[in-house]
Amino acid sequence: MPTPDDFAPGLPSATRVWQGLVQQTGTPEDVVVVCTTVPDLMLAKRIAHVLVEESLVACAQVGAVVTSMYLWQGKLEGGEEIPLSLKTTAAVLPALYQRLCTLHPYDVPEFLVLGVPAGSAAYLSWVQEAVHRPA
């Protein structure tokens, strides 16, 4: 794991590089990962398709079936779900959340935003170019 001393000295913090990696600094253009789950594979593929097609995410990865266990309204629930991993930018999060809620059947869909402290400069640029805020 690189230390701060491994980053190129003298560069602004937004562009510090270590062997092709760029450190992100908390701007609206920063790439983030959103995690959610849906009840079945067909819906997961549909949601992924819509979000990519509408440029709210650069990439949507549909995962394998997982078993979820949780308390809902005081009752232990469980069942199979499909995880979705969505790559987007911080600036698009409000629109992405709103759109996901319209496509999702759950009363309270999972919407967890994971920060990305650093990443490949080329990949981060690709995500930023692929994602567009709705007009």
Side-chain angles (χ1 to χ4, degrees), residues 89-113:
T89 62
V92 176
L93 288 172
L96 174 58
Y97 178 68
Q98 184 176 35
R99 186 65 170 126
L100 181 68
C101 287
T102 67
L103 297 168
H104 207 291
Y106 294 168
D107 292 337
V108 181
E110 176 183 1
F111 193 88
L112 299 177
V113 179

Side-chain angles (χ1 to χ4, degrees), residues 26-77:
T27 68
E29 293 79 29
D30 278 3
V31 172
V32 297
V33 176
V34 174
C35 299
T36 191
T37 55
V38 295
D40 63 73
L41 183 59
M42 289 299 290
L43 182 58
K45 289 179 178 181
R46 179 177 180 273
I47 290 173
H49 180 93
V50 168
L51 296 178
V52 171
E53 187 173 68
E54 294 179 1
S55 298
L56 290 170
V57 303
C59 174
Q61 294 174 311
V62 177
V65 174
V66 296
T67 301
S68 296
M69 302 297 296
Y70 51 92
L71 287 175
W72 181 250
Q73 298 177 342
K75 182 179 172 192
L76 180 62
E77 299 281 344

